[in-house]
Amino acid sequence: MYVIFGASGNVGRASIAALRRAGKPVRAVVRHAQQGEPFAQLGCSVAFADLGDSASIAQALEGATAVQMLCPVPQGDPHPERTMRGMIDAAAIALRAHPPAVLLALSDYGAQIEQGTGITTLFHYLETQLKPLAGSRTRLILLRAAEHMHNWNRVMPVALATGQLPSLHHPLDKRFPTVAAQDVGELAAELLLEENAAAAPLRIVSVEGPRRVNAYGVASVLSDVSGRPVAARELPRDAWTATLLRGGLSDGHAQLIVDLYDAHNAGHIDIEAGVGEQRFGATELAQVFAASQQDKA
């Protein structure tokens, strides 16, 4: 049984679709009943779990041979760091009690860095807590993904309304890696499906899109897709926190993002040189933006 946590997210949905196309039995783990219906229609079994509760996670793990684990950054939480660390701890407890043959954990570029990277620091903690599971009973795959292309959807309405795309990436010509969630999910499924008895107990795989971009390029793609003129604009560093708070984030979540982009702009968020494997997705930024525009039409 392939057990997919975070099934209702973009990555989880893509992984489940790929696994079902391969004819594999899948258990989709969601939080609410209404999230489970689309997966039941795909022929999946559905489990409900509270990621903050190790007993709940353990119940979803029963009979699992392969597991895809996602501990998401909590949205709308006043203490997202504390909450996510609690989810990671709960997952580690449950996985130690029910170790699958293969465990794939969704992580981030820069997760090799211990501190000073905001949200990515939490993925470092995730990796630290799960690495002891790698051994004779469990093959652990850490799938580190670049910044997701769909994150730009958050500022797309502002960009289309004003003609200016605000960017926390400074300077605007700095190139950075991005990746489509679809490509991450499909690669995760591919890695889960691989059968290699001689594989190392710990495998680190990094994935990004077919080409690196900069903020100018993102604005240009959005202009082409939308048919409206859009220009990139550096959001001043001293305006980041206020802008994020106006967007509905808590103080704690806003600080995690500020710290992340400070690390990005200092060049720290990237693949770990000389470690693991690197893969490249095929999906272009224009395809992600076009799909987003169609969804809103």
Side-chain angles (χ1 to χ4, degrees):
M1 177 65 71
Y2 290 75
V3 177
I4 309 299
F5 287 82
S8 60
N10 294 322
V11 173
R13 289 198 301 270
S15 296
I16 288 171
L19 291 168
R20 290 300 296 143
R21 286 195 300 270
K24 300 300 182 181
V26 174
R27 180 180 300 143
V29 184
V30 295
R31 291 200 63 177
H32 306 293
Q34 63 268 29
Q35 295 174 321
E37 174 138 8
F39 302 112
Q41 292 174 357
L42 286 174
C44 302
S45 64
V46 178
F48 306 102
D50 176 356
L51 291 181
D53 178 55
S54 58
S56 178
I57 296 171
Q59 188 172 16
L61 287 170
E62 288 183 6
T65 54
V67 174
Q68 182 168 308
M69 178 57 65
L70 169 67
C71 289
V73 180
Q75 300 294 319
D77 191 305
H79 306 289
E81 181 172 3
R82 183 176 68 192
T83 300
M84 185 170 166
R85 286 178 181 270
M87 290 191 293
I88 292 168
D89 290 340
I93 290 169
L95 287 162
R96 284 196 294 270
H98 302 272
V102 183
L103 170 61
L104 183 145
L106 295 165
S107 187
D108 255 7
Y109 269 33
Q112 70 274 11
I113 301 172
E114 183 176 357
Q115 58 187 0
T117 59
I119 287 172
T120 301
T121 303
L122 299 174
F123 289 96
H124 175 83
Y125 184 69
L126 171 72
E127 293 191 3
T128 300
Q129 294 303 102
L130 295 185
K131 280 180 178 178
L133 288 164
S136 59
R137 297 182 66 184
T138 298
R139 287 194 293 115
L140 174 62
I141 304 167
L142 300 175
L143 179 53
R144 295 174 177 169
E147 177 181 309
H148 284 198
M149 294 175 181
H150 74 267
N151 287 353
W152 287 97
N153 290 345
R154 300 169 186 166
V155 296
M156 193 178 291
V158 171
L160 295 178
T162 65
Q164 294 190 324
L165 179 75
S167 175
L168 276 64
H169 285 285
H170 296 180
L172 295 177
D173 62 356
K174 174 180 69 71
R175 301 185 72 81
F176 53 90
T178 63
V179 67
Q182 175 78 18
D183 290 344
V184 178
E186 291 182 354
L187 175 58
E190 177 186 326
L191 295 171
L192 287 172
L193 288 167
E194 289 180 358
E195 296 182 5
N196 185 354
L202 174 61
R203 186 178 181 185
I204 297 174
V205 182
S206 299
V207 59
E208 61 185 79
R211 68 195 78 254
R212 295 194 170 195
V213 299
N214 58 33
Y216 288 127
V218 174
S220 177
V221 169
L222 183 54
S223 291
D224 291 343
V225 169
S226 67
R228 304 181 195 180
V230 178
R233 175 178 69 87
E234 272 192 18
L235 187 65
R237 172 64 175 74
D238 59 9
W240 288 5
T241 299
T243 301
L244 293 167
L245 293 175
R246 285 197 301 272
L249 298 186
S250 65
D251 288 336
H253 200 156
Q255 190 60 54
L256 287 173
I257 292 180
V258 167
D259 292 345
L260 169 63
Y261 280 92
D262 278 340
H264 247 304
N265 296 337
H268 299 319
I269 305 298
D270 212 322
I271 60 172
E272 185 175 6
V275 174
E277 312 159 42
Q278 185 165 20
R279 303 288 188 92
F280 297 92
T283 305
E284 299 280 2
L285 188 62
Q287 295 171 269
V288 173
F289 283 2
S292 176
Q293 292 290 290
Q294 289 171 1
D295 290 342
K296 294 175 181 177

